[in-house]
Structure formats: C-alpha cells, structure tokens
Amino acid sequence: PDMYPGNCWAFKGSQGYLVVRLSMKIYPTAFTMEHIPKTLSPTGNITSAPKNFSVYGLDDEYQKDGKLLGQYVYDEEGESLQMFPVMVSLDDKIQGVR
C-alpha cells in the first residue's frame, strides 16, 4: 500500500516464482535483484531476502519449462542492488523470464 520498508509484495512460504513478459524479444546479458538493506530494515535484519534463485528464459509467458539462464545466490551482506550475469549462450531471443 505504500513505499515503507516491510510493506512490499512477498511470496507466501519459502518458495515461489513469477513470470515477466518482456515488451520485445531480447538476448539478456544480466539480471538485477534489489532488496532493502539491513540498515533500513525495521527489524535490523533481512531474513526475507531471496537466497538461492534460478532464472529461466521463456519463448512466451505460458511456457512451462524454459532455458535455464543461471542459478544465483543473493548475498545478504552485499549491496542491496546486486547484478547477476547470464551463465549460458542463447541461440534465440527470449520473450519472458521466470
């Protein structure tokens, strides 16, 4: 409902996924993920930060399985905005990510 720390969209439970449909087909080179830093957290910790995550390239948003673009770990001790390079070569452009 607002932009205050702790009032964000969160997954229920310890796992989840989302699909993002891109406005055009692309060859991605990297992804970024941002989470509130510990210094701004109302509780002083960021245990809700993503830990291990995978990114898949999709031909469309309805595709069940995509091409694994990489498996990553968000560093809770690192910067709040972290960049992760695509770990594979793509033969074709993608229309979405999961």
Side-chain angles (χ1 to χ4, degrees):
D2 54 49
M3 298 295 289
Y4 293 105
N7 291 339
C8 59
W9 177 63
F11 290 106
K12 184 177 182 179
S14 62
Q15 294 185 2
Y17 73 91
L18 85 112
V19 174
V20 176
R21 183 182 187 279
L22 305 168
S23 62
M24 68 175 70
K25 291 190 172 200
I26 64 165
Y27 289 109
T29 57
F31 305 95
T32 58
M33 186 174 298
E34 185 173 22
H35 193 276
I36 184 175
K38 285 182 179 181
T39 56
L40 296 179
S41 172
T43 62
N45 66 57
I46 55 171
T47 56
S48 65
K51 312 281 185 290
N52 301 308
F53 67 98
S54 301
V55 179
Y56 293 85
L58 307 173
D59 294 326
D60 63 62
E61 67 264 35
Y62 303 107
Q63 185 179 0
K64 294 284 185 206
D65 298 317
K67 178 165 182 154
L68 179 63
L69 302 179
Q71 295 179 307
Y72 310 99
V73 177
Y74 185 87
D75 180 7
E76 290 185 24
E77 301 302 322
E79 296 293 321
S80 61
L81 180 65
Q82 297 177 24
M83 184 181 294
F84 305 92
V86 170
M87 311 279 282
V88 300
S89 302
L90 291 176
D91 298 327
D92 298 311
K93 293 180 178 181
I94 62 169
Q95 184 73 50
V97 291
R98 172 177 62 97

